[in-house]
Amino acid sequence: MNLPEKKISFKQKGVILRFFLMLLFLTMVCSELSPAFAAADGTAPQEERQEDAVIADFFSDHALSDATVRFEQPLENISLVFTLSSGNKLLKSETFFLGPVERGKEVTKVLFWGIEEDFGKDRDSYKAQVSVENGSLNLDSREVSFSYRNPTLSKLKLVDFSADSEKASVLMSLTSPTGFGSVQLPEPGVVDLDLKLLSGTKVVYSEKQKNIPVTNTYYNASYWPFLLEKDKNYTALLKVHSHSPDITTAYRSDFKAEEDIEILDHDVDVDEYGASVTVIGKSQVPFDGFVRVVLTPEEGEVQVFEETADILTAGKEDTVGIIWQGVPKGDYNVKIYVLNLEGEILDSHETVLRVFEPVAEESPVEESPSIAFFAVLGILLCAGILSGRKLK
């Protein structure tokens, strides 16, 4: 009596299994088709669009905005759009057209808002936004809100940030805690530094340092590793990110690239025979010029001597030697100048010189007439002896 019931149960299990397999097949087919229909309708998921371009970093305050974008796919018509608004009022908008970009490329753009400070004091908050657009398609966007007043580094104090044609330097120190009744040691801080050198809005150099401990004072100098263009304006931008509290602040330093050279005072030697002057480059604008030495006696004529120096960049040295002869006996005031080809004095050094005896100028040695006479006579005698032997 139990055998028919067992046959029925096996049939039911077969039907259930076939139904489950059909349901699984339909589910897989639908999952494959749905992205294709979504793309055809122009409603592709936002996650796929963001894979084309990713905004890796974005910072803004009332003075500037800084954005770094990484492209995951090659794209043809890319632009970055920066906007600054306060409430419902658009204060500024600027677009950077990048055109075609390659896969894996990173692009950093810095924009200075250029808004009058008096105007900003009347507003409590701002909103800055950057968008990456491919034609009319928005690939990614980021925004940040901030107030007019810059946040302060509560544990740290930026003592100085300055840049010139040679380097950018930063000096930081810990702030002393305010307390009553006892002296407290400042709590150490940890910062990240992000340095950029700009020519206009183009980033020509960048350097990052992570997890820098500041226990008392911290000083760092970053030397430009390439040549700068003479008379060109540059901007050094430093972003300081404090780990605790989590605050980022930005600082700028503007400079005009110029030649700079220094006379090493401890390596200048002057005596009655001449001068030896060592100079060192202090700029990444190549120095091209010469060394001039001026001897001014108590009485008599001023004498000037010049010698060309090597072309020098930052950190490179050259020792220039100048020889003078026939300088009269006496005391001299000695002035040494380093000049470029335009005649601008870039550095100078002053010392004194005493010449005890004049150094005679070198003159060619003249042969004595008597010596010349005996030499000719000897030649004639030798010629006579040789001719007599031939006759024999």
Side-chain angles (χ1 to χ4, degrees), residues 55 57-59 65-69 80 82 107-110 130:
I55 299 176
D57 184 48
F58 180 51
F59 168 83
S65 189
D66 176 16
T68 299
V69 182
L80 301 184
F82 290 83
V107 176
T108 299
K109 286 295 182 181
V110 177
V130 62

Side-chain angles (χ1 to χ4, degrees), residues 154-223:
S154 57
K155 292 183 180 180
L156 302 168
K157 179 182 179 182
L158 188 79
V159 180
D160 178 66
F161 172 63
S162 59
D164 55 28
S165 303
E166 180 185 25
K167 63 184 183 301
S169 58
V170 56
L171 177 62
M172 302 180 66
S173 66
L174 291 174
T175 58
S176 300
T178 58
F180 299 95
S182 62
V183 178
Q184 300 179 12
L185 294 177
E187 184 178 352
V190 179
V191 297
D192 302 328
L193 299 181
D194 183 359
L195 173 67
K196 293 183 178 69
L197 180 64
L198 310 176
S199 175
T201 59
K202 181 181 179 182
V203 179
V204 296
Y205 178 72
S206 63
E207 175 184 305
K208 293 184 179 181
Q209 301 180 61
K210 297 286 188 179
N211 302 321
I212 301 173
V214 182
T215 56
N216 186 11
T217 59
Y218 171 78
Y219 174 79
N220 182 70
S222 298
Y223 293 84

Side-chain angles (χ1 to χ4, degrees), residues 54 77 125 139 232 235 263 267 381 390:
V54 177
N77 189 19
S125 63
L139 301 181
K232 192 170 187 178
T235 298
I263 298 173
D267 206 355
L381 289 174
K390 290 181 179 180

Side-chain angles (χ1 to χ4, degrees), residues 117-130:
E117 293 187 5
D118 293 339
F119 176 78
K121 291 179 181 178
D122 296 333
R123 300 181 179 272
D124 296 330
S125 63
Y126 294 89
K127 183 175 73 173
Q129 184 179 48
V130 62

Side-chain angles (χ1 to χ4, degrees), residues 296-310:
T296 305
E298 294 180 348
E299 296 180 358
E301 296 183 357
V302 175
Q303 300 190 53
V304 180
F305 304 88
E306 293 181 352
E307 188 66 41
T308 303
D310 288 343

